[in-house]
Amino acid sequence: MTESGKRSGGVKMASGTLDERLTRLEVEVEQLKHARSPNGGPQVPWWEKIAGTFAGSADHEEAIRLGPEWRQSQLMDYDTPDA
């Protein structure tokens, strides 16, 4: 390192002791975590937020009914098991 506080590659070194720098990083990480989550706690995954929203829906029931029919229609002759 040179007298100007730079490494030989020209990258400026951060000021402060290692403990001070670590403390600043920890504070910034906590701020980022808090900013990411509206209530400051862990975020609920999207699939848990929407679970059950289609319960009792006629459209959902129709999709459930048509799913196996559609999958069966996509099979080729060689995909079907021999009887």
Side-chain angles (χ1 to χ4, degrees):
M1 184 161 54
T2 63
E3 288 182 35
S4 63
K6 293 184 179 183
R7 289 186 178 176
S8 59
V11 177
K12 187 170 183 185
M13 297 288 290
S15 61
T17 67
L18 182 59
D19 287 335
E20 290 168 342
R21 291 167 46 199
L22 181 60
T23 300
R24 283 196 306 265
L25 282 173
E26 289 172 339
V27 169
E28 287 183 31
V29 167
E30 284 305 313
Q31 290 171 345
L32 289 170
K33 284 181 180 178
H34 185 69
R36 185 170 174 225
S37 180
N39 61 0
Q43 286 188 322
V44 177
W46 67 268
W47 62 89
E48 289 182 11
K49 290 179 183 178
I50 68 164
T53 57
F54 298 108
S57 164
D59 291 334
H60 180 257
E61 296 304 319
E62 180 75 357
I64 295 298
R65 185 184 69 75
L66 291 173
E69 183 180 319
W70 181 83
R71 285 190 296 278
Q72 187 65 33
S73 74
Q74 300 304 303
L75 294 176
M76 297 292 187
D77 289 336
Y78 55 83
D79 290 332
T80 57
D82 293 332

Coordinates of all heavy atoms in Angstrom, one line a residue:
M1 N 0.9 -1.2 0.0 CA 0.0 0.0 0.0 C 0.9 1.2 0.0 O 1.9 1.3 0.6 CB -0.9 0.0 1.2 CG -1.9 1.1 1.2 SD -3.3 0.9 2.3 CE -2.6 0.5 3.9
T2 N 0.5 2.3 -0.7 CA 1.3 3.5 -0.8 C 0.8 4.5 0.3 O -0.1 4.3 1.0 CB 1.1 4.2 -2.2 OG1 -0.3 4.5 -2.3 CG2 1.5 3.2 -3.3
E3 N 1.6 5.6 0.4 CA 1.3 6.6 1.4 C -0.1 7.2 1.2 O -0.7 7.7 2.1 CB 2.3 7.7 1.4 CG 3.7 7.2 2.0 CD 4.7 8.4 2.0 OE1 4.3 9.5 2.2 OE2 5.8 8.1 1.8
S4 N -0.6 7.3 0.0 CA -1.9 8.0 -0.3 C -3.1 7.1 0.2 O -4.2 7.6 0.0 CB -2.0 8.3 -1.8 OG -2.0 7.1 -2.5
G5 N -2.8 6.0 0.7 CA -4.0 5.1 1.2 C -4.6 4.3 0.1 O -5.7 3.9 0.2
K6 N -3.8 4.1 -1.0 CA -4.3 3.3 -2.1 C -3.5 2.0 -2.2 O -2.3 2.1 -1.9 CB -4.3 4.1 -3.4 CG -5.2 5.2 -3.4 CD -5.2 5.9 -4.8 CE -6.2 7.0 -4.8 NZ -6.2 7.7 -6.1
R7 N -4.1 1.0 -2.7 CA -3.3 -0.2 -3.0 C -2.6 0.0 -4.3 O -2.9 1.0 -5.0 CB -4.3 -1.4 -3.1 CG -4.9 -1.9 -1.8 CD -5.6 -3.1 -2.1 NE -6.2 -3.6 -0.8 CZ -7.0 -4.6 -0.7 NH1 -7.3 -5.3 -1.8 NH2 -7.4 -5.0 0.5
S8 N -1.7 -0.8 -4.6 CA -0.9 -0.6 -5.8 C -1.8 -0.7 -7.1 O -1.5 -0.1 -8.1 CB 0.2 -1.7 -5.9 OG -0.4 -3.0 -5.9
G9 N -3.0 -1.3 -7.0 CA -3.9 -1.4 -8.1 C -4.8 -0.1 -8.3 O -5.6 -0.1 -9.2
G10 N -4.6 0.8 -7.4 CA -5.4 2.1 -7.5 C -6.7 2.1 -6.8 O -7.5 3.0 -7.0
V11 N -7.0 1.0 -6.0 CA -8.3 0.9 -5.3 C -8.1 1.6 -4.0 O -7.2 1.3 -3.2 CB -8.7 -0.6 -5.1 CG1 -10.0 -0.7 -4.3 CG2 -8.9 -1.2 -6.5
K12 N -9.0 2.5 -3.6 CA -8.9 3.2 -2.4 C -9.4 2.3 -1.2 O -10.4 1.7 -1.3 CB -9.7 4.5 -2.4 CG -9.5 5.4 -1.2 CD -10.2 6.7 -1.3 CE -9.8 7.4 -0.1 NZ -10.3 8.7 0.1
M13 N -8.6 2.3 -0.2 CA -8.9 1.5 1.0 C -10.0 2.3 1.8 O -10.0 3.5 1.9 CB -7.7 1.3 1.9 CG -6.6 0.5 1.2 SD -7.0 -1.2 1.0 CE -6.9 -1.7 2.7
A14 N -10.9 1.5 2.4 CA -11.9 2.1 3.3 C -11.2 2.5 4.6 O -10.3 1.9 5.1 CB -13.0 1.0 3.6
S15 N -11.7 3.7 5.1 CA -11.1 4.2 6.3 C -11.8 3.6 7.6 O -12.9 3.1 7.5 CB -11.3 5.7 6.4 OG -12.7 6.0 6.4
G16 N -11.1 3.6 8.7 CA -11.7 3.0 9.9 C -11.1 1.7 10.2 O -10.5 1.0 9.3
T17 N -11.3 1.2 11.4 CA -10.7 -0.1 11.8 C -11.7 -1.1 11.3 O -12.8 -0.9 10.8 CB -10.7 -0.2 13.3 OG1 -12.0 -0.2 13.8 CG2 -9.9 0.9 14.0
L18 N -11.2 -2.3 11.3 CA -12.0 -3.5 10.8 C -13.3 -3.6 11.6 O -14.4 -3.8 11.0 CB -11.2 -4.8 10.9 CG -11.9 -6.0 10.4 CD1 -12.2 -5.9 9.0 CD2 -11.0 -7.2 10.7
D19 N -13.2 -3.4 12.9 CA -14.5 -3.5 13.7 C -15.5 -2.4 13.4 O -16.7 -2.6 13.3 CB -14.1 -3.4 15.2 CG -13.5 -4.6 15.8 OD1 -13.7 -5.7 15.2 OD2 -12.7 -4.5 16.8
E20 N -15.0 -1.2 13.1 CA -15.9 -0.1 12.7 C -16.5 -0.3 11.4 O -17.7 -0.1 11.2 CB -15.1 1.3 12.6 CG -14.6 1.8 14.0 CD -13.6 2.9 13.9 OE1 -13.0 3.1 12.8 OE2 -13.5 3.7 14.8
R21 N -15.7 -0.9 10.4 CA -16.3 -1.2 9.1 C -17.3 -2.3 9.2 O -18.3 -2.2 8.5 CB -15.1 -1.5 8.2 CG -14.2 -0.3 7.9 CD -12.9 -0.7 7.2 NE -13.0 -1.6 6.1 CZ -12.0 -2.3 5.7 NH1 -10.8 -2.2 6.2 NH2 -12.2 -3.2 4.7
L22 N -17.0 -3.3 10.0 CA -17.9 -4.4 10.2 C -19.2 -3.9 10.8 O -20.3 -4.3 10.4 CB -17.3 -5.5 11.0 CG -18.2 -6.8 11.2 CD1 -18.5 -7.4 9.9 CD2 -17.4 -7.7 12.1
T23 N -19.1 -3.1 11.8 CA -20.3 -2.5 12.4 C -21.2 -1.8 11.4 O -22.4 -1.9 11.4 CB -19.9 -1.6 13.6 OG1 -19.2 -2.4 14.5 CG2 -21.2 -1.1 14.3
R24 N -20.5 -0.9 10.6 CA -21.3 -0.2 9.6 C -22.0 -1.1 8.6 O -23.1 -0.9 8.2 CB -20.4 0.8 8.8 CG -20.0 2.0 9.6 CD -19.4 3.1 8.7 NE -18.3 2.7 7.9 CZ -17.0 2.9 8.3 NH1 -16.7 3.4 9.4 NH2 -16.0 2.4 7.5
L25 N -21.3 -2.2 8.2 CA -21.9 -3.1 7.3 C -23.1 -3.9 7.9 O -24.1 -4.1 7.2 CB -20.8 -4.2 6.8 CG -19.8 -3.7 5.8 CD1 -18.8 -4.8 5.6 CD2 -20.6 -3.5 4.5
E26 N -22.9 -4.2 9.1 CA -24.0 -4.9 9.8 C -25.3 -4.0 9.9 O -26.4 -4.4 9.7 CB -23.6 -5.4 11.2 CG -22.7 -6.5 11.2 CD -22.1 -6.9 12.5 OE1 -22.1 -6.0 13.4 OE2 -21.6 -8.0 12.7
V27 N -25.1 -2.7 10.2 CA -26.2 -1.8 10.3 C -26.8 -1.6 8.9 O -28.0 -1.6 8.8 CB -25.7 -0.4 10.8 CG1 -26.7 0.7 10.6 CG2 -25.3 -0.5 12.2
E28 N -26.0 -1.5 7.8 CA -26.6 -1.4 6.5 C -27.3 -2.6 6.1 O -28.4 -2.5 5.5 CB -25.4 -1.1 5.5 CG -24.9 0.3 5.6 CD -23.8 0.6 4.6 OE1 -23.9 0.0 3.5 OE2 -22.9 1.4 4.9
V29 N -26.9 -3.8 6.4 CA -27.6 -5.1 6.1 C -28.9 -5.1 6.8 O -29.9 -5.4 6.2 CB -26.7 -6.3 6.5 CG1 -27.6 -7.6 6.4 CG2 -25.5 -6.4 5.5
E30 N -29.0 -4.7 8.1 CA -30.2 -4.7 8.8 C -31.2 -3.6 8.2 O -32.4 -3.9 8.0 CB -30.0 -4.3 10.3 CG -29.5 -5.5 11.1 CD -30.3 -6.7 11.0 OE1 -31.6 -6.6 11.1 OE2 -29.8 -7.8 10.7
Q31 N -30.7 -2.5 7.7 CA -31.5 -1.5 7.1 C -32.1 -2.1 5.8 O -33.2 -1.9 5.4 CB -30.7 -0.2 6.8 CG -30.4 0.6 8.0 CD -29.5 1.7 7.8 OE1 -28.8 1.8 6.7 NE2 -29.4 2.6 8.7
L32 N -31.3 -2.8 5.0 CA -31.7 -3.4 3.7 C -32.8 -4.4 4.0 O -33.8 -4.5 3.3 CB -30.5 -4.0 3.0 CG -29.6 -3.0 2.4 CD1 -28.3 -3.7 1.8 CD2 -30.2 -2.2 1.3
K33 N -32.6 -5.3 5.0 CA -33.6 -6.3 5.3 C -34.9 -5.6 5.7 O -36.0 -6.1 5.3 CB -33.1 -7.1 6.5 CG -32.0 -8.1 6.1 CD -31.7 -9.0 7.4 CE -30.6 -10.0 7.1 NZ -30.3 -10.7 8.4
H34 N -34.8 -4.6 6.5 CA -36.0 -3.9 7.0 C -36.7 -3.2 5.8 O -37.9 -3.2 5.7 CB -35.7 -2.9 8.1 CG -36.9 -2.2 8.7 ND1 -37.8 -2.9 9.5 CD2 -37.3 -1.0 8.6 CE1 -38.7 -2.1 9.8 NE2 -38.5 -0.9 9.3
A35 N -36.0 -2.6 4.9 CA -36.6 -1.9 3.8 C -37.2 -2.9 2.8 O -38.2 -2.6 2.2 CB -35.5 -1.2 3.0
R36 N -36.7 -4.1 2.7 CA -37.2 -5.2 1.8 C -38.6 -5.7 2.3 O -39.4 -6.1 1.6 CB -36.2 -6.3 1.7 CG -36.6 -7.3 0.7 CD -35.5 -8.3 0.5 NE -36.0 -9.3 -0.4 CZ -35.8 -10.6 -0.2 NH1 -35.0 -11.0 0.8 NH2 -36.3 -11.5 -1.0
S37 N -38.7 -5.8 3.6 CA -39.9 -6.4 4.2 C -40.8 -5.2 4.9 O -40.3 -4.5 5.7 CB -39.6 -7.4 5.3 OG -40.7 -7.9 5.9
P38 N -42.0 -5.1 4.5 CA -42.8 -4.0 5.0 C -43.0 -4.0 6.5 O -43.0 -2.9 7.1 CB -44.2 -4.2 4.3 CG -44.1 -5.4 3.5 CD -42.7 -6.0 3.6
N39 N -43.0 -5.1 7.1 CA -43.2 -5.1 8.6 C -41.9 -5.4 9.3 O -42.0 -5.6 10.5 CB -44.3 -6.1 9.0 CG -43.9 -7.6 8.6 OD1 -42.9 -7.8 8.0 ND2 -44.8 -8.5 8.9
G40 N -40.8 -5.5 8.6 CA -39.6 -5.7 9.3 C -39.3 -7.1 9.6 O -38.2 -7.5 10.0
G41 N -40.3 -8.0 9.4 CA -40.1 -9.4 9.6 C -39.8 -10.2 8.3 O -39.7 -9.6 7.3
P42 N -39.8 -11.5 8.4 CA -39.6 -12.3 7.2 C -40.8 -12.1 6.2 O -41.9 -12.0 6.7 CB -39.4 -13.7 7.7 CG -40.1 -13.7 9.1 CD -40.0 -12.3 9.6
Q43 N -40.4 -12.1 5.0 CA -41.5 -12.0 3.9 C -42.1 -13.4 3.7 O -41.5 -14.4 3.8 CB -40.9 -11.5 2.6 CG -40.6 -10.1 2.6 CD -40.2 -9.6 1.2 OE1 -39.6 -10.3 0.5 NE2 -40.6 -8.4 0.9
V44 N -43.4 -13.3 3.5 CA -44.2 -14.6 3.2 C -44.0 -14.8 1.7 O -44.2 -13.9 0.9 CB -45.7 -14.4 3.5 CG1 -46.5 -15.6 3.2 CG2 -45.8 -14.1 5.0
P45 N -43.7 -16.0 1.3 CA -43.5 -16.3 -0.2 C -44.8 -16.1 -0.9 O -45.9 -16.3 -0.3 CB -43.1 -17.8 -0.2 CG -42.6 -18.1 1.2 CD -43.3 -17.2 2.1
W46 N -44.8 -15.7 -2.2 CA -46.0 -15.4 -2.9 C -46.9 -16.5 -3.0 O -48.2 -16.3 -2.9 CB -45.6 -14.9 -4.3 CG -45.0 -16.0 -5.2 CD1 -43.7 -16.3 -5.4 CD2 -45.7 -16.9 -6.0 NE1 -43.5 -17.3 -6.2 CE2 -44.7 -17.8 -6.6 CE3 -47.0 -17.1 -6.3 CZ2 -45.1 -18.8 -7.5 CZ3 -47.4 -18.2 -7.2 CH2 -46.4 -19.0 -7.8
W47 N -46.4 -17.8 -3.1 CA -47.4 -18.9 -3.2 C -48.2 -19.1 -1.9 O -49.3 -19.6 -2.0 CB -46.6 -20.2 -3.6 CG -45.6 -20.7 -2.7 CD1 -45.8 -21.5 -1.6 CD2 -44.2 -20.3 -2.6 NE1 -44.6 -21.7 -0.9 CE2 -43.6 -21.0 -1.5 CE3 -43.4 -19.5 -3.4 CZ2 -42.3 -20.9 -1.2 CZ3 -42.1 -19.5 -3.1 CH2 -41.5 -20.1 -2.0
E48 N -47.6 -18.7 -0.8 CA -48.4 -18.8 0.5 C -49.4 -17.7 0.6 O -50.4 -17.9 1.2 CB -47.4 -18.8 1.7 CG -46.6 -20.1 1.8 CD -45.7 -20.1 3.0 OE1 -45.8 -19.2 3.9 OE2 -44.8 -21.0 3.1
K49 N -49.1 -16.6 0.0 CA -50.1 -15.5 0.0 C -51.3 -15.8 -0.8 O -52.4 -15.4 -0.5 CB -49.4 -14.2 -0.6 CG -48.4 -13.6 0.3 CD -47.8 -12.3 -0.3 CE -46.7 -11.7 0.5 NZ -46.1 -10.6 -0.1
I50 N -51.1 -16.6 -1.9 CA -52.3 -16.8 -2.8 C -53.0 -18.2 -2.6 O -54.0 -18.5 -3.1 CB -51.9 -16.7 -4.3 CG1 -51.0 -17.8 -4.7 CG2 -51.4 -15.3 -4.6 CD1 -50.9 -18.0 -6.2
A51 N -52.4 -19.0 -1.7 CA -52.9 -20.3 -1.4 C -54.4 -20.2 -0.9 O -54.7 -19.4 0.0 CB -52.1 -21.0 -0.3
G52 N -55.2 -20.9 -1.6 CA -56.6 -21.0 -1.2 C -57.5 -19.9 -1.8 O -58.7 -19.8 -1.6
T53 N -56.9 -19.0 -2.6 CA -57.7 -17.9 -3.2 C -58.7 -18.4 -4.3 O -59.6 -17.7 -4.6 CB -56.8 -16.8 -3.8 OG1 -55.9 -17.4 -4.8 CG2 -56.0 -16.1 -2.7
F54 N -58.5 -19.5 -4.8 CA -59.4 -20.1 -5.9 C -60.4 -21.1 -5.3 O -61.1 -21.7 -6.0 CB -58.6 -20.7 -7.0 CG -57.7 -19.7 -7.7 CD1 -56.3 -19.8 -7.6 CD2 -58.2 -18.7 -8.5 CE1 -55.5 -18.9 -8.2 CE2 -57.4 -17.8 -9.2 CZ -56.1 -17.9 -9.0
A55 N -60.3 -21.3 -4.0 CA -61.2 -22.3 -3.4 C -62.7 -21.9 -3.7 O -63.1 -20.8 -3.5 CB -61.0 -22.3 -1.9
G56 N -63.4 -22.9 -4.2 CA -64.8 -22.8 -4.5 C -65.1 -22.0 -5.8 O -66.3 -21.8 -6.1
S57 N -64.1 -21.7 -6.5 CA -64.3 -21.0 -7.8 C -64.7 -22.0 -8.9 O -64.1 -23.0 -9.1 CB -63.0 -20.3 -8.2 OG -63.0 -19.9 -9.6
A58 N -65.7 -21.6 -9.6 CA -66.2 -22.5 -10.7 C -65.1 -22.6 -11.8 O -65.0 -23.7 -12.4 CB -67.5 -21.9 -11.3
D59 N -64.4 -21.6 -12.1 CA -63.4 -21.6 -13.1 C -62.2 -22.6 -12.6 O -61.7 -23.3 -13.4 CB -62.8 -20.2 -13.3 CG -63.8 -19.3 -14.0 OD1 -64.7 -19.8 -14.7 OD2 -63.6 -18.1 -13.9
H60 N -61.9 -22.5 -11.4 CA -60.9 -23.4 -10.8 C -61.3 -24.9 -10.9 O -60.6 -25.8 -11.3 CB -60.5 -23.1 -9.4 CG -59.5 -24.0 -8.8 ND1 -59.8 -25.0 -7.9 CD2 -58.1 -24.0 -9.0 CE1 -58.6 -25.6 -7.6 NE2 -57.6 -25.0 -8.2
E61 N -62.6 -25.1 -10.6 CA -63.1 -26.5 -10.6 C -63.1 -27.0 -12.1 O -62.8 -28.2 -12.3 CB -64.5 -26.6 -10.0 CG -64.6 -26.2 -8.6 CD -63.7 -27.1 -7.7 OE1 -63.6 -28.4 -8.0 OE2 -63.0 -26.6 -6.8
E62 N -63.4 -26.1 -13.0 CA -63.4 -26.5 -14.4 C -62.0 -26.8 -14.9 O -61.7 -27.8 -15.6 CB -64.0 -25.4 -15.3 CG -64.0 -25.6 -16.8 CD -65.1 -26.6 -17.2 OE1 -65.8 -27.1 -16.4 OE2 -65.2 -26.8 -18.4
A63 N -61.0 -26.0 -14.5 CA -59.6 -26.3 -14.8 C -59.1 -27.6 -14.2 O -58.4 -28.4 -14.9 CB -58.7 -25.2 -14.3
I64 N -59.5 -27.9 -13.0 CA -59.2 -29.2 -12.4 C -59.8 -30.4 -13.2 O -59.2 -31.4 -13.4 CB -59.6 -29.2 -10.9 CG1 -58.9 -28.2 -10.1 CG2 -59.5 -30.6 -10.3 CD1 -57.4 -28.4 -10.0
R65 N -61.0 -30.2 -13.6 CA -61.7 -31.2 -14.4 C -61.0 -31.4 -15.8 O -60.9 -32.6 -16.2 CB -63.2 -30.9 -14.6 CG -64.0 -32.0 -15.3 CD -65.4 -31.5 -15.5 NE -65.5 -30.5 -16.5 CZ -65.4 -30.7 -17.8 NH1 -65.1 -31.9 -18.3 NH2 -65.5 -29.7 -18.7
L66 N -60.7 -30.3 -16.4 CA -60.1 -30.4 -17.8 C -58.7 -30.8 -17.8 O -58.2 -31.3 -18.9 CB -60.3 -29.1 -18.5 CG -61.7 -28.7 -18.8 CD1 -61.8 -27.3 -19.4 CD2 -62.4 -29.7 -19.8
G67 N -57.9 -30.6 -16.7 CA -56.5 -30.9 -16.7 C -56.2 -32.4 -17.2 O -55.4 -32.5 -18.1
P68 N -56.7 -33.4 -16.5 CA -56.4 -34.8 -17.0 C -56.8 -35.0 -18.4 O -56.1 -35.7 -19.1 CB -57.2 -35.6 -16.0 CG -57.4 -34.8 -14.8 CD -57.5 -33.4 -15.3
E69 N -57.9 -34.5 -18.8 CA -58.4 -34.7 -20.2 C -57.4 -34.1 -21.2 O -57.1 -34.7 -22.2 CB -59.8 -34.0 -20.3 CG -60.5 -34.1 -21.7 CD -61.8 -33.4 -21.7 OE1 -62.6 -33.5 -20.7 OE2 -62.1 -32.8 -22.7
W70 N -56.9 -32.9 -20.9 CA -56.0 -32.2 -21.8 C -54.7 -33.0 -21.8 O -54.1 -33.2 -22.9 CB -55.7 -30.8 -21.3 CG -54.7 -30.1 -22.2 CD1 -55.0 -29.5 -23.4 CD2 -53.3 -30.0 -22.0 NE1 -53.9 -29.0 -24.0 CE2 -52.8 -29.3 -23.1 CE3 -52.5 -30.4 -21.0 CZ2 -51.5 -29.0 -23.3 CZ3 -51.1 -30.1 -21.2 CH2 -50.6 -29.4 -22.3
R71 N -54.2 -33.4 -20.6 CA -52.9 -34.2 -20.6 C -53.0 -35.5 -21.4 O -52.1 -35.9 -22.1 CB -52.5 -34.5 -19.2 CG -51.9 -33.3 -18.5 CD -51.3 -33.6 -17.1 NE -52.3 -34.1 -16.2 CZ -53.0 -33.4 -15.4 NH1 -53.0 -32.1 -15.5 NH2 -53.9 -33.9 -14.6
Q72 N -54.2 -36.1 -21.3 CA -54.4 -37.4 -22.0 C -54.4 -37.1 -23.5 O -53.9 -37.9 -24.3 CB -55.7 -38.0 -21.6 CG -56.0 -39.4 -22.2 CD -55.0 -40.4 -21.7 OE1 -54.5 -40.4 -20.6 NE2 -54.7 -41.4 -22.6
S73 N -55.0 -36.0 -23.9 CA -55.0 -35.6 -25.4 C -53.6 -35.4 -25.9 O -53.4 -35.4 -27.1 CB -55.9 -34.4 -25.6 OG -55.3 -33.2 -25.2
Q74 N -52.7 -35.1 -25.1 CA -51.3 -34.7 -25.5 C -50.4 -36.0 -25.7 O -49.3 -35.9 -26.3 CB -50.6 -33.7 -24.6 CG -51.4 -32.4 -24.4 CD -51.6 -31.7 -25.8 OE1 -50.6 -31.4 -26.5 NE2 -52.8 -31.5 -26.1
L75 N -50.9 -37.1 -25.2 CA -50.1 -38.3 -25.4 C -50.1 -38.8 -26.8 O -51.1 -38.7 -27.5 CB -50.7 -39.4 -24.5 CG -50.6 -39.2 -23.0 CD1 -51.3 -40.3 -22.2 CD2 -49.2 -39.0 -22.5
M76 N -49.0 -39.4 -27.2 CA -48.9 -40.0 -28.5 C -49.3 -41.5 -28.4 O -49.4 -42.0 -27.3 CB -47.4 -39.9 -29.0 CG -46.9 -38.5 -29.3 SD -47.8 -37.8 -30.6 CE -47.0 -36.3 -30.8
D77 N -49.5 -42.1 -29.5 CA -49.9 -43.5 -29.4 C -48.9 -44.4 -28.7 O -49.3 -45.3 -27.9 CB -50.1 -44.1 -30.9 CG -51.3 -43.5 -31.6 OD1 -52.2 -43.1 -30.9 OD2 -51.3 -43.5 -32.8
Y78 N -47.6 -44.1 -28.8 CA -46.6 -44.9 -28.1 C -46.5 -44.5 -26.7 O -45.8 -45.2 -25.9 CB -45.3 -44.8 -28.8 CG -44.8 -43.3 -29.0 CD1 -44.1 -42.7 -28.0 CD2 -44.9 -42.6 -30.2 CE1 -43.6 -41.4 -28.1 CE2 -44.5 -41.4 -30.3 CZ -43.8 -40.7 -29.3 OH -43.4 -39.5 -29.4
D79 N -47.1 -43.5 -26.2 CA -47.1 -43.1 -24.8 C -48.1 -43.9 -23.9 O -48.0 -43.9 -22.7 CB -47.3 -41.6 -24.6 CG -46.2 -40.7 -25.1 OD1 -45.1 -41.2 -25.1 OD2 -46.4 -39.6 -25.5
T80 N -49.1 -44.4 -24.6 CA -50.2 -45.1 -23.8 C -49.7 -46.5 -23.4 O -49.1 -47.2 -24.2 CB -51.5 -45.1 -24.6 OG1 -51.2 -45.8 -25.8 CG2 -52.0 -43.7 -24.9
P81 N -50.1 -46.9 -22.2 CA -49.7 -48.2 -21.8 C -50.5 -49.3 -22.6 O -51.6 -49.1 -23.0 CB -50.0 -48.3 -20.3 CG -51.0 -47.2 -20.1 CD -50.8 -46.2 -21.2
D82 N -49.8 -50.4 -22.9 CA -50.4 -51.5 -23.6 C -51.4 -52.2 -22.6 O -51.1 -52.4 -21.5 CB -49.4 -52.5 -24.1 CG -48.6 -51.9 -25.2 OD1 -49.1 -51.0 -25.9 OD2 -47.4 -52.4 -25.3
A83 N -52.6 -52.5 -23.1 CA -53.6 -53.2 -22.3 C -53.4 -54.7 -22.4 O -52.9 -55.3 -23.2 CB -55.0 -52.8 -22.7

